[in-house]
Amino acid sequence: MPEPRLATPADAAEIARLRSENILSEPLDEAWLTTCADQLALRLQDGGDARAYVVDSHAGGLATCALGLVHAVLPAPKYPKGLAVRIHAVATDPAHRRRGYAKAALAALLDHLEHDGVTLYELYASDGSAPLYEQLGFAADPALMRMTRFPAAEGNAS
């Protein structure tokens, strides 16, 4: 099995593609793919908040990615450095599934983040991916809630 490697800004377009094609309910159009790739490339630079491990495909491009976005939280005994991560995307191209690539990439990412002092890890899991995450130590949290809010359209002020 190919070894996962730390992603670089040059991998951003492929990571955005894997996320779009394998995670999102509707794939992104070219304009959104470009926007995501450009933003991710900046965030993968030294000092950025994105960390990712990838597995290269023998056919070119990426077979798998595991992407986390690090953010600050207030320190506490369980978060002494005040660092948390949201695992934003773990995706594998269909032709490369069932080979352990996602597990290897995510394990490498978690080890890297632990070395950086991250102690709080969060992700959203589909029913199909939950067993993988549970193998790596994640547990369901019934208290986790989610909401998406968009600004009110101009001219519709109450």
Side-chain angles (χ1 to χ4, degrees):
M1 178 173 77
E3 286 292 314
R5 64 173 175 80
L6 185 63
T8 69
D11 295 310
E14 274 291 287
I15 293 170
R17 178 191 65 79
L18 284 169
R19 175 179 169 257
S20 174
E21 292 177 2
N22 297 287
I23 296 174
L24 300 180
S25 58
E26 289 186 27
L28 300 173
D29 64 24
E30 288 301 316
W32 275 110
L33 276 171
T34 299
T35 297
C36 288
D38 290 349
Q39 185 184 108
L40 182 56
L42 293 173
R43 296 171 82 171
L44 284 169
Q45 292 179 15
D46 287 341
D49 68 332
R51 308 287 183 281
Y53 274 78
V54 297
V55 173
D56 293 305
S57 169
H58 60 278
L62 297 179
T64 297
C65 70
L67 168 67
L69 302 175
V70 178
H71 60 276
V73 296
L74 291 175
K78 290 185 177 182
Y79 324 117
K81 289 194 175 183
L83 293 176
V85 68
R86 177 172 182 242
I87 304 300
H88 190 69
V90 178
T92 303
D93 262 334
H96 296 92
R97 291 186 182 156
R98 311 308 269 166
R99 299 181 190 179
Y101 292 177
K103 184 176 183 179
L106 183 55
L109 176 61
L110 296 175
D111 289 346
H112 182 114
L113 293 165
E114 181 180 6
H115 183 264
D116 285 350
V118 174
T119 53
L120 176 61
Y121 301 81
E122 299 172 332
L123 58 75
Y124 296 101
S126 66
D127 290 339
S129 64
L132 165 65
Y133 302 132
E134 289 168 353
Q135 288 176 10
L136 293 170
F138 287 89
D141 183 348
L144 188 60
M145 299 177 77
R146 181 177 172 179
M147 174 175 65
T148 300
R149 289 181 66 171
F150 295 100
E154 290 185 34
N156 289 345
S158 301

